[in-house]
Amino acid sequence: MTIFLAVVLGVLLYVLHRLFLAPGRADRWVGEHFVASDYGLAPREQLDPRRAGPPPPPHRRQERQAVADAAWDGDWRAAGAYVRAAGDDWDERWSRTELLQEIAREDDAWLDAWRAAEPGNCDAATLHARIMVQRAWEIRGSGYAHEVPTDRMNSFRAMLPAAIEEARRAALLDPANPGPWVVMVTAARGAQYERARFRPLWDGLVARAPHHYEGHWQALQYWCAKWFGSDRLMKRFARKAVLKAPQGSPLAGMYLHALNELTDRPVSVTPVTRGLLKRVAASLAEVGPDDERLPALRHLLAHYMLRARLYGPALEQFRLIGPWCGAEPWRKDEDPAKAFETARGTAVKLSRAPVVPTVKSHGMGR
């Protein structure tokens, strides 16, 4: 019995050391001894807190600028062609209307001309509905409901039903297009839709695009505790997204967004949590390296792997991230580069990674 108790005590002390003492010692080691390039990581002096990942390639930036310039010159045709070129890649099509939404913030006369010239165009109508939702949220602001002045909250709640009706009309113009349904799902929580009214909107979206990334992110917000769900419902929704994510899709990243919603509450480290994080990593490894959603997801993945004591896998994510550190969660710190450096140094120390003979290239590699 004495030997048994000694073994139990030894295991307990080891666990306490790993939980509390080891991370503290790792912080000191990072500050005094860590040389990133010794472990295949971008050198400290190359860290860039301005971006989550590398900028888009020049041809993509030039294409977007050309669309914006044409729109501001009054030519809506370039915008319409830009969206149509995405075909039935509904994630890409949504991303392109997102760019048009930003262009319309500067000047939306071209959008009015587009809608007048093509009243049956679903993309133009969807974009108009998106902008209505955006303007409603701008009036409301980002504070909690009790922090928003009554007049602004009343305006917000009056605008959203109109946006939903605009999206419903857009949906009739192209029944296969999930865009209007994403708008409705987005507006539903602000419009105070109870679950019985929300579910048909969600069903309509996934019937058209079962793996729509933005649609899932908006639904995740609906199911979180601050709106109409709970931590349990949100995490269940996110786990389903991980399990159904198809090859090449970043959809599994919904689990990371769910964990990020729990920032002010402890994330339980369980075999299930670790297993899901590993599954997310495997799924993201199949996403094309030019997917602009990938860098931000890798930052979150590295962070939560570190918290889950998956030090080796976290280190691999840091190697894939390269020198970019302008992303959550590092941006929450006054010095994002320092927070990022501490995190990846901790991954090195606690994974007991060996020094590597050469420095790997740094980019958003697979």
Side-chain angles (χ1 to χ4, degrees), residues 51-74:
R51 299 182 56 87
H59 73 273
R60 190 174 297 174
R61 297 199 300 271
Q62 291 165 4
E63 180 185 34
R64 292 169 179 172
Q65 189 61 54
V67 171
D69 291 341
W72 293 330
D73 286 341

Side-chain angles (χ1 to χ4, degrees), residues 20-358:
F20 301 108
L21 298 180
R25 290 181 179 177
D27 285 353
R28 291 193 295 273
W29 178 82
V30 171
E32 297 172 4
H33 305 291
F34 177 49
V35 179
S37 58
D38 287 349
Y39 301 95
L41 297 163
R44 170 69 175 83
E45 59 272 15
Q46 292 182 9
L47 297 186
D48 188 340
R50 295 171 298 176
R51 299 182 56 87
H59 73 273
R60 190 174 297 174
R61 297 199 300 271
Q62 291 165 4
E63 180 185 34
R64 292 169 179 172
Q65 189 61 54
V67 171
D69 291 341
W72 293 330
D73 286 341
D75 180 10
W76 53 265
R77 292 174 180 81
Y82 178 66
V83 175
R84 285 195 305 274
D88 59 0
D89 182 342
W90 300 118
D91 276 338
E92 177 63 20
R93 202 171 182 112
W94 182 263
S95 176
R96 293 185 179 210
T97 60
E98 191 168 48
L99 172 66
L100 300 187
Q101 182 177 338
E102 290 303 307
I103 294 171
R105 289 173 70 99
E106 299 287 331
D107 177 4
D108 63 357
W110 60 272
L111 175 57
D112 293 338
W114 185 10
R115 294 175 60 224
E118 296 187 346
N121 189 295
C122 179
D123 293 319
T126 300
L127 178 57
H128 179 60
R130 285 190 66 168
I131 291 172
M132 292 174 70
V133 175
Q134 177 191 49
R135 289 174 178 165
W137 278 101
E138 287 174 347
I139 290 172
R140 183 195 185 280
S142 58
Y144 288 101
H146 69 275
E147 300 171 339
V148 180
T150 302
D151 58 334
R152 284 167 49 190
M153 183 62 80
N154 289 340
S155 295
F156 169 71
R157 288 177 174 163
M159 293 172 71
L160 286 176
I164 291 174
E165 285 308 307
E166 180 71 11
R168 288 189 189 280
R169 287 191 289 270
L172 297 175
L173 300 175
D174 183 359
N177 192 328
W181 296 88
V182 179
V183 176
M184 288 185 269
V185 165
T186 301
R189 66 181 187 276
Q192 304 288 296
Y193 272 32
E194 297 295 336
R195 296 176 188 177
R197 296 182 71 192
F198 175 80
R199 290 183 191 278
L201 302 182
W202 175 247
D203 291 342
L205 170 57
V206 296
R208 292 160 175 82
H211 308 119
H212 199 287
Y213 186 89
E214 179 68 15
H216 275 78
W217 191 88
Q218 294 295 344
L220 181 78
Q221 293 300 304
Y222 180 91
W223 289 114
C224 72
K226 65 188 177 188
W227 286 102
F228 293 96
S230 64
D231 290 349
R232 181 181 62 82
L233 290 172
M234 176 188 67
K235 288 190 288 186
R236 185 174 70 181
F237 178 86
R239 286 196 297 270
K240 288 181 179 179
V242 174
L243 297 177
K244 72 180 182 180
Q247 185 175 6
S249 167
L251 186 63
M254 285 303 126
Y255 185 65
L256 305 174
H257 291 304
L259 295 180
N260 212 36
E261 284 291 331
L262 304 173
T263 298
D264 297 328
R265 301 182 292 285
V267 175
S268 58
V269 179
T270 66
V272 172
T273 302
R274 293 192 184 95
L276 283 167
L277 288 172
K278 290 177 181 178
R279 185 155 183 163
V280 171
S283 185
L284 295 187
E286 300 296 328
V287 176
D290 60 344
D291 191 309
E292 294 180 23
R293 295 163 292 189
L294 185 57
L297 292 174
R298 287 206 186 280
H299 285 281
L300 289 176
L301 179 57
H303 171 65
Y304 287 110
M305 281 184 154
L306 204 57
R307 291 182 64 176
R309 300 193 291 281
L310 294 169
Y311 302 119
L315 175 57
E316 181 56 30
Q317 294 303 315
F318 283 119
R319 286 174 174 151
L320 291 167
I321 288 167
W324 315 99
C325 54
E328 297 293 342
W330 332 116
R331 285 190 312 202
K332 296 177 181 178
D333 196 276
E334 292 182 1
D335 187 344
K338 181 179 179 181
F340 181 73
E341 178 80 343
T342 299
R344 63 189 191 147
T346 299
V348 166
K349 180 64 174 177
L350 297 184
S351 67
R352 301 179 180 179
V355 172
V356 296
T358 58

